[in-house]
Amino acid sequence: MNVSAGRWRRFAVKLARHAAWVLPGARSPWADAMRRELDYLEDDAAALRWALGCVAASYKTRLASPLPTLPRMRGRVGRVAGWRHAATSGVLMLFIGFALLENAGGQTEPPRPVFKETTCDLPNVSPDIRPRLRCGTVSVPRDYDNPDAGHFKLAVVVIKSEQQPSWPEPVVYINGGPGSPLTVYAAYQARTPYAPRRDLILVDQRGTGRSEPNICPDLERKLLDANFAIGATVTEEGLDRRQAAYLACRDQAIGRGLDLRNFGTRVTVEDFERVRQAFRVERWNVYGESYGTTVAMTLVALYPDTVRSAVLDSIYPPDPVPLWSTIVSDARDAFFAHCARDKVCSTSFPDLAQTYRDTLARLDQNPLVVTLPPQMRQADDRVRITASLFEVGVSNLLYYPNAYPTLPRMIQSVHDGDAHGLESDLASQLTAAATQNLATHAAVECRDRPHFRAQLPVGASVLDRKQLYGVCGHWSEPGPQPLVPVGTPVPTLVLAGQFDPVARPASSRHVAQLIGASARFVEFPFIGHNVRRFSPCGARIAADFIDHPAQAPDTSCADRIAPIRFLPRIPDAPRDR
């Protein structure tokens, strides 16, 4: 990784060189070791103290050795002149060094953040991956406007590239959420490199995963249950219960000394900037996915000189945004329209859109009941599939292209009163939801998104009721909003999926237009959210772009993506005559 050295470190290097020159036998192993030791001292003030000690030790050794002789000067005069030259230089270097050290002690320049290594106790790490991991923490200010308020520790993992030596300018991957962990999935990330010759940096954003703080550790399950209840059936009582759960979480956080203003995308960007400084990375390649694109865009806007390239995968656009129900409806209609054009799908399911609407109407009158595994912690291990819950479930399945082949058949089966197989889908969605820290999600979104303080229209969809409307107004005051790097010169690649239920391709294209001439937009057919995860073509385009951001990437593979292989309708069972 490239090092961006501060002035104290640059002078420390000069001091070490001078100490090596003064030392008898400047090419000795001791002199070489003295120069290289600076690479292992991450704090600049500590490096300066070490170099000053080297100078003092070298002069002490020189006093017991023959005097240096300047070139073309011999005899006593040459030796004395050589000593005077060395001594004068040494006194001057020491004087400047101590002045700088005193300045460092006065902290006129904030101390550089430090990466402190810890044991890599991560799950699913195989023996071949373990040597490539460096795990640790980087401390960041709790409150950037009040540095004396203390620090939070962020969990950070560096995955060294499998192909060594690594190329400079690593990739930092910023995942979605907000509130979703990342470092726990380091083993998976190590097997799917973003750019095979570059190191990868993973960070659990503040309040998520292994990073501090845990906003309300005793109430996360109550938040999850309250949100699930809203998804199953929207009632005023359920909305009130959810609001009470979030208010209790807010009160617990404040009682633990947390200031909920210390969250939001602008704060997250400052955290990433401290991580960059801790590794002395001059420039890095930023890969943002889903909510991570919000962080990535703001980072590029605020710190463009630190970003070599940016990839925005499945953009979560800034406000103003349409209601989530509108975005999902667009994605769902696009999927249904594709089914109508596909021979297998249209033959088995002649009007999938109407079948879906009929299914919602039937479930509204007669919900189906399915059994879930005990670990799902549902009453009697049973869940009623209501129209609301089914709508939420289908919208979530649009995220995943591997669900597309069976989605029409599943809609038809539920329409016909058969919920067999729906248990596994629902259990998977609940498990995924449980990994997100909902308190952190609220802490960030309520600072970032003014629209959550608006009133929803009467009869709003469950998809909108599930959002943070009615919560943010009581959570914290709005913060500075995320940014789009309008007109940035940073090379930027924008990836969008045809059936994305979070960001319509049109929205991503609009963001690319705002960014300007440096942005390249690629839309992928038959893909939903998170292009790279589900498209080998998208992963290849992104890797090539990161390695050569100044070149136009070859995107021809996006036009050759294999079509969806829909499963036909299950034949009706034969009836007895």
Side-chain angles (χ1 to χ4, degrees), residues 23-200:
L23 191 68
R27 299 184 182 276
S28 68
W30 184 21
D32 290 339
M34 183 169 59
R35 287 189 291 260
R36 287 197 296 267
E37 180 67 20
L38 289 175
D39 294 336
Y40 299 94
L41 296 175
E42 297 186 340
D43 181 72
D44 284 358
L48 188 56
R49 287 192 293 270
W50 163 261
L52 288 169
C54 290
V55 172
S58 294
Y59 273 90
K60 183 177 180 180
T61 303
R62 171 56 72 185
L63 287 173
S65 305
L67 294 178
T69 302
L70 293 178
R72 291 188 292 274
M73 297 185 70
R74 298 292 184 267
R76 181 175 181 275
V77 174
R79 289 194 299 273
V80 171
W83 171 250
R84 286 176 177 170
H85 174 75
T88 302
S89 300
V91 170
L92 181 61
M93 297 284 275
L94 285 170
F95 177 79
I96 297 174
F98 281 119
L100 280 174
L101 189 58
E102 183 179 358
N103 193 30
Q107 294 190 348
T108 57
E109 192 173 282
R112 183 189 298 274
V114 176
F115 174 68
K116 295 184 178 180
E117 289 204 48
T118 59
T119 303
C120 284
D121 56 344
L122 299 169
N124 306 316
V125 176
S126 57
D128 61 311
I129 291 177
R130 190 171 301 278
R132 295 170 51 201
L133 302 182
R134 292 179 63 200
C135 303
T137 62
V138 173
S139 291
V140 297
R142 293 167 64 113
D143 184 347
Y144 282 96
D145 293 329
N146 181 16
D148 296 329
H151 292 79
F152 292 134
K153 291 182 179 179
L154 302 183
V156 182
V157 175
V158 177
I159 304 174
K160 292 186 287 187
S161 66
E162 190 171 9
Q163 303 178 47
Q164 290 291 324
S166 301
W167 286 1
E169 297 159 326
V171 176
V172 58
Y173 169 52
I174 310 176
N175 67 319
S180 298
L182 178 58
T183 61
V184 70
Y185 303 116
Y188 169 79
Q189 297 291 343
R191 296 185 181 94
T192 56
Y194 291 76
R197 296 300 299 266
R198 300 180 190 274
D199 293 347
L200 177 65

Side-chain angles (χ1 to χ4, degrees), residues 263-277:
F263 290 89
T265 293
R266 295 288 191 100
V267 176
T268 302
V269 165
E270 294 303 326
D271 288 348
F272 273 92
E273 171 61 10
R274 296 311 186 276
V275 171
R276 183 192 67 82
Q277 294 174 9

Side-chain angles (χ1 to χ4, degrees), residues 324-347:
W324 188 39
S325 59
T326 302
I327 299 172
V328 171
S329 179
D330 287 349
R332 191 175 56 227
D333 290 347
F335 181 82
F336 290 162
H338 178 72
C339 173
R341 293 190 298 269
D342 182 90
K343 182 177 180 180
V344 173
C345 193
S346 61
T347 299

Side-chain angles (χ1 to χ4, degrees), residues 154-323:
L154 302 183
V156 182
V157 175
V158 177
I159 304 174
K160 292 186 287 187
S161 66
E162 190 171 9
Q163 303 178 47
Q164 290 291 324
S166 301
W167 286 1
E169 297 159 326
V171 176
V172 58
Y173 169 52
I174 310 176
N175 67 319
S180 298
L182 178 58
T183 61
V184 70
Y185 303 116
Y188 169 79
Q189 297 291 343
R191 296 185 181 94
T192 56
Y194 291 76
R197 296 300 299 266
R198 300 180 190 274
D199 293 347
L200 177 65
I201 300 175
L202 308 177
V203 181
D204 280 336
Q205 298 167 33
R206 70 166 60 192
T208 68
R210 302 182 176 206
S211 289
E212 296 175 339
N214 195 330
I215 294 179
C216 55
D218 303 329
L219 298 174
E220 274 293 327
R221 184 68 204 190
K222 288 187 176 181
L223 294 179
L224 181 64
D225 290 343
N227 278 283
F228 179 77
I230 295 295
T233 306
V234 180
T235 64
E236 290 302 321
E237 181 183 358
L239 292 171
D240 291 342
R241 189 180 303 116
R242 182 184 67 165
Q243 185 182 89
Y246 276 98
L247 288 177
C249 175
R250 179 204 63 184
D251 292 343
Q252 184 178 101
I254 294 173
R256 296 174 59 232
L258 297 179
D259 187 340
L260 295 175
R261 292 173 299 181
N262 294 331
F263 290 89
T265 293
R266 295 288 191 100
V267 176
T268 302
V269 165
E270 294 303 326
D271 288 348
F272 273 92
E273 171 61 10
R274 296 311 186 276
V275 171
R276 183 192 67 82
Q277 294 174 9
F279 287 109
R280 297 193 174 88
V281 172
E282 184 175 356
R283 292 195 309 165
W284 54 9
N285 300 281
V286 178
Y287 195 110
E289 190 174 74
S290 191
Y291 165 71
T293 63
T294 304
V295 180
M297 287 190 290
T298 306
L299 192 154
V300 172
L302 295 178
Y303 295 99
D305 294 339
T306 70
V307 182
R308 177 177 173 271
S309 72
V311 181
L312 307 177
D313 185 342
S314 305
I315 286 178
Y316 180 32
D319 278 0
V321 292
L323 291 173

Side-chain angles (χ1 to χ4, degrees), residues 445-516:
E445 292 283 76
C446 289
R447 293 283 284 167
D448 282 1
R449 305 280 172 174
H451 72 265
F452 284 135
R453 289 170 165 76
Q455 290 291 325
L456 283 172
V458 176
S461 164
V462 62
L463 299 177
D464 301 319
R465 294 288 185 186
K466 271 178 57 64
Q467 305 304 302
L468 292 167
Y469 296 96
V471 170
C472 287
H474 304 280
W475 183 267
S476 66
E477 61 190 58
Q481 293 186 43
L483 302 173
V484 173
V486 177
T488 182
V490 175
T492 305
L493 177 66
V494 179
L495 309 178
Q498 180 185 7
F499 304 136
D500 192 337
V502 175
R504 295 178 291 187
S507 297
S508 295
R509 187 187 296 274
H510 176 64
V511 171
Q513 292 171 344
L514 290 176
I515 292 172

